[in-house]
């Protein structure tokens, strides 16, 4: 029997956490009773610097029952870093960890399927959404568009997979080797390799509270994903530059021919247009190059991606079943 940890990043989740904890405990106890998982399996909640009572709730849960484990980050580091902190803690104790959102959007009913796939020898099991019925049209359109853009840019992603996944201990050891600061886990995990499987699930609506991923965060997350995994935007600049060079050569020949034919007209309009256009393109290119340089800057500093303030963990087995 394998020790399985559930890892939940939590940011201001006081409204959902008690119910989430209750449902997950029920599932875990059931799996323990049926001897599918070891009795020292845990539900680990990572408090990502919440401003509400999330950490107090986690502390109370831990006091009531040793199945609940808490990891308190020193401040808000964002979903991806909080998840990484949870996984890196989990791998010290568990044979595998399943990451899921604290708001019960990921169908907890398929946890057993993840474990079955793990038992079959898969090191990574991806949770893939079977449909996007519960999303608004806008979210569906942007999210699916994002996966297509990533694919065209040559980034290896699992379509419609977010961060609901199981990872074995050695897959998490592999993840630890990726030292990047701009974390985009769903881009990194496929690079780890090993045997993988897919489990389909329905994504529900957030059960209470509101999304901690507003559009602005989502866009910056998407751009992070692209610029962390693809250098194609840079190559596109080179292509655009080459094209501009060819066009300007043609224009040079054209204007020389016109000049020698004595037909020079004062070309104010075309001049203004080209100045603006070239200026615009240059600015755009500089912006994109700046983005990469910014990344190099933050990667070379090798700052810690998270700092753990305290860990609540007891080496007790679940005996009251
Ligand atoms: N989250 C986090 N830190 C943050 C933002 C979000 O740990 O800075 C957690 C949040 O508590 C939840 C998960 O990440 O468990 C997904 O966030 P949310 O449900 O708000 O995003 P959505 O499902 O709307 O994309
Ligand atoms: Mg959510």
């Amino acid at each position: 029997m394998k020790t399985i940890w559930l890892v939940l990043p939590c940011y201001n989740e006081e409204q959902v956490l008690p119910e989430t904890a209750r449902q997950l405990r029920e599932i875990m106890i059931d799996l323990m009773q049926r001897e599918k998982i070891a009795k020292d399996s845990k539900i680990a909640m990572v408090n990502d610097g919440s401003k509400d009572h999330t950490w107090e709730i986690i502390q109370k849960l831990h006091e009531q029952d040793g199945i609940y484990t808490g990891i308190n980050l020193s401040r808000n580091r964002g979903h991806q870093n909080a998840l990484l902190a949870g996984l890196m803690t989990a791998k010290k104790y568990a044979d595998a960890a399943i990451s899921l959102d604290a708001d019960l959007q990921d169908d907890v009913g398929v946890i057993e399927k993840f474990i079955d796939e793990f038992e079959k020898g898969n090191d990574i099991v991806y949770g893939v959404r079977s449909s996007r019925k519960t999303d608004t049209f806008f979210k569906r359109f942007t999210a699916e568009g994002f996966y297509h853009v990533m694919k065209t840019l040559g980034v290896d992603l699992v379509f419609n997979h977010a961060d609901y996944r199981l990872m074995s201990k050695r897959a998490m050891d592999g993840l630890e080797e990726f030292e990047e600061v701009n974390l985009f886990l769903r881009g990194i995990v496929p690079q780890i390799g090993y045997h993988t499987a897919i489990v389909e699930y329905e994504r529900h609506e957030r059960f209470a509270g509101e999304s901690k991923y507003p559009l602005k965060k989502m866009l910056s997350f998407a751009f992070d994903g692209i610029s962390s995994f693809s250098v194609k935007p840079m190559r596109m600049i080179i292509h655009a530059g080459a094209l501009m060079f060819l066009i300007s050569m043609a224009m040079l020949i054209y204007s020389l021919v016109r000049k020698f034919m004595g037909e020079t007209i004062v070309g104010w309009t075309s001049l203004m247009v080209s100045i603006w256009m070239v200026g615009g393109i240059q600015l755009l290119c500089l912006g994109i190059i700046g983005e990469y340089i910014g990344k190099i800057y933050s990667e070379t500093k090798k700052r810690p991606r998270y700092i753990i303030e305290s860990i609540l963990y007891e080496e007790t087995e679940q005996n009251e079943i």
Side-chain angles (χ1 to χ4, degrees), residues 34 131 175 237 304 315:
R34 290 191 285 122
S131 78
L175 177 63
I237 297 177
E315 217 166 295

Side-chain angles (χ1 to χ4, degrees), residues 9-11 13 48 76 78-79 82 101-103 105 139 203 206 211-213 217:
C10 311
Y11 178 59
E13 299 285 11
D48 185 18
N76 180 255
H79 174 216
D101 285 356
D103 55 10
Q105 279 194 286
K139 174 105 187 200
R203 190 156 157 104
R206 188 174 241 283
S211 173
K212 275 89 198 164
Y213 260 107
K217 257 200 211 171

